[in-house]
Amino acid sequence: MTDPQIVLTERVQQALARAFGSEHADADPLIRPSQFADFQANVAMSLAKRLRRAPREVAEAIRAELSDFPGTVEVSGPGFLNITLDDAWIAAESGQMLADPRLGAGTITPSQTVVIDYSAPNAAKEMHVGHLRTTIVGDSLARLHEHLGNTVIRQNHLGDWGTPFGMLIEHLLDIGEEAAVAQLEAGQGTEFYQAARAKFDGDEDFKTRARARVSTLQSGDPATMRLWHLFMDATVRYFNKVYDLLGVTLTDADLAGESMYNPMLQKTCDDLEDAGTAEMSEGALCVFPPGFTGSDDKPLPLIIRKSDGGYGYATTDMAAIRYRVHDLKADRILYVVGSEQTLHFRMVFAAARLAGWLPDTVTAEHVQIGMMLGKDGRRFKTRSGESVKLTDLLNEAIDRATAAIADRGYDEAMQKEIAHAVGIGAVKYADLSVSHDSDYVLDFDRMLAFTGNTAPYLQYAQARIRSIFRRGGVDPATATGPIVLGEPAERALALQLLGFGTVLEQATALSEPHRLCAFLYATASAFTDFFEQCPVLKEGVEAGTRASRLALCALALRVMETGLDLLGVPVPERM
Ligand code: ARG
């Protein structure tokens, strides 16, 4: 383990145990970055209270036990321990990190099977901005878990079933199969839906046909099922276009739409009823998980069969959670879904625990996704008030990126590649860099800026490192050091890089990719300082210094590349 913060935590804990007894070995030493040293440990203050001793005295006692420490420890102020690591230690640790193919990131042991439910657009409508974020955050989590050695099972819980399909299929027949498929493939699902809806509301004959079609669909009538497949296949082809454009890792093998659970729904209800977990209430079959009450203080039902006998969203989710635990053998299930569904998932998880379908050994977590807002602070919409088509939004980002780099003199192919990476990267990074549960304002100017915590800034930093190697005619793989630290900026960069493994583990454990973003931003900033203050290729740079700085560049490049890849942000060769 190379992360200094972890090393320090262990060392200070050992010192605590030696100074005050083993009962203090697990105390949090409260290690924080410091303005006055590399880190400070604040544990003396809290411990002093418990021991009823003077904080400075406690701090001195800890310091005395840190005599073999690879750095200096000073007591300051009321009892802070200011810790500065030896350059030689930082250099040796970064040398080890450079030699480590995993860059200091461990693997999770024992490895887990993690089911990640993400993206999940609804087939009856266009894939909209709300699904952009669940797709992007979910995909980053999938990449992180795989990187740390977990088995990931992606589940794209498509909304591909329900009563609207009656009118959708009738509308498909009205306009003709070929025209319908073309429209759906082109991403005009919303228009298709709206046209069907208008007829349903205004045309009694159509309404009757649509209702009859729901029954034939539900009965599994082969001719109707063929039309449903036609509709779904065309729709999924459009979703795949969006996934391709975004560069997300979802494939058709990950499709696990609501319809997949149809054959299980009756048994889901029967088993819950037979076990006494569900009961009839006002004609509907309901689970009343303990601890959920409505505004009137009455127990809140999770309705799993409506009074008309129909199944709903909750029924499917009950079947799905059972399948994920029992068949997919999940240890951990992540639901990357909008935060407005919080109550739904809390109730589903509670009902599944009640039913014994979700044992204590398995965790189910709702990774709440906040809303994307327009500049007016309301849910993001077009001027005419409709929700925004995703491909339009992505293409706008690419167009703006094209304009931003137009004067850089790249040939056309290169320009296209960079604009794609920058535009898509900017949108994805903007989604990832704020905590997933907060709402955020979609602002092209900000996300495409070349300064600040943005994709272009990070992409530019890594491209700059590559250009050092290109200009020097050096293959980064051969830049093995040794690393020797002199200048403050190179020391700061090395110290920063050492935290990579820990941040990956934290981002994965907490489902918080924004931690990785913050880390990469700090890394890019540290590299920028280094780049400005520490010449690498310049004439007169001594051979040993050059080798060391090239090695630091190589390490920074691998950290940036690996980190951006785990976020799913494309990494252009040049910029
Ligand atoms: N299709 C749903 C929506 O757009 C999201 C599905 C999330 N996953 C689930 N298992 N319920 O709101």
Side-chain angles (χ1 to χ4, degrees), residues 117-123 128 130-131 134 155-160 256 258 261 313-314 316-318 320-321 324 334-338 340-341 344-345 348:
D117 178 326
Y118 71 102
S119 192
N122 299 317
H128 64 84
H131 296 112
T134 64
Q155 294 282 281
N156 191 350
H157 196 88
L158 281 190
D160 64 355
E258 294 176 7
Y261 300 97
Y313 192 53
T316 314
D317 263 324
M318 287 303 288
I321 204 165
R324 289 166 184 183
L334 305 179
Y335 291 78
V336 187
V337 188
E340 66 279 0
Q341 295 189 31
H344 167 75
F345 285 114
V348 167

Side-chain angles (χ1 to χ4, degrees), residues 222-381:
T224 304
M225 286 308 290
R226 187 187 69 82
L227 296 169
W228 175 80
H229 276 294
L230 202 68
F231 180 96
M232 278 314 303
D233 291 351
T235 302
V236 166
R237 278 198 290 280
Y238 171 67
F239 292 160
N240 283 339
K241 276 185 216 162
V242 177
Y243 295 149
D244 273 354
L245 201 56
L246 278 174
V248 299
T249 57
L250 284 169
T251 68
D252 285 353
D254 308 314
L255 291 173
E258 294 176 7
S259 66
M260 185 182 107
Y261 300 97
N262 286 345
M264 309 174 201
L265 299 182
Q266 190 185 335
K267 187 162 161 40
T268 300
C269 291
D270 290 349
D271 288 353
L272 288 170
E273 193 172 13
D274 293 348
T277 311
E279 59 191 87
M280 291 302 290
S281 169
E282 293 172 33
L285 185 62
C286 306
V287 181
F288 292 94
F292 294 89
T293 46
S295 51
D296 52 2
D297 274 351
K298 280 208 200 115
L300 216 54
L302 183 73
I303 300 175
I304 55 168
R305 196 179 58 224
K306 291 180 251 178
S307 51
D308 66 4
Y311 303 120
Y313 192 53
T315 327
T316 314
D317 263 324
M318 287 303 288
I321 204 165
R322 191 189 209 184
Y323 169 78
R324 289 166 184 183
V325 173
H326 185 268
D327 296 75
L328 300 182
K329 311 254 180 284
D331 297 306
R332 193 173 171 189
I333 315 176
L334 305 179
Y335 291 78
V336 187
V337 188
S339 45
E340 66 279 0
Q341 295 189 31
T342 299
L343 181 62
H344 167 75
F345 285 114
R346 282 177 52 218
M347 292 186 77
V348 167
F349 300 161
R353 296 248 183 246
L354 203 61
W357 295 355
L358 183 62
D360 289 342
T361 49
V362 180
T363 55
E365 297 153 62
H366 178 196
V367 180
Q368 299 180 25
I369 301 297
M371 244 195 299
M372 182 126 108
L373 307 174
K375 278 193 181 167
D376 58 358
R378 292 158 178 250
R379 190 188 273 273
F380 189 76
K381 289 200 164 137

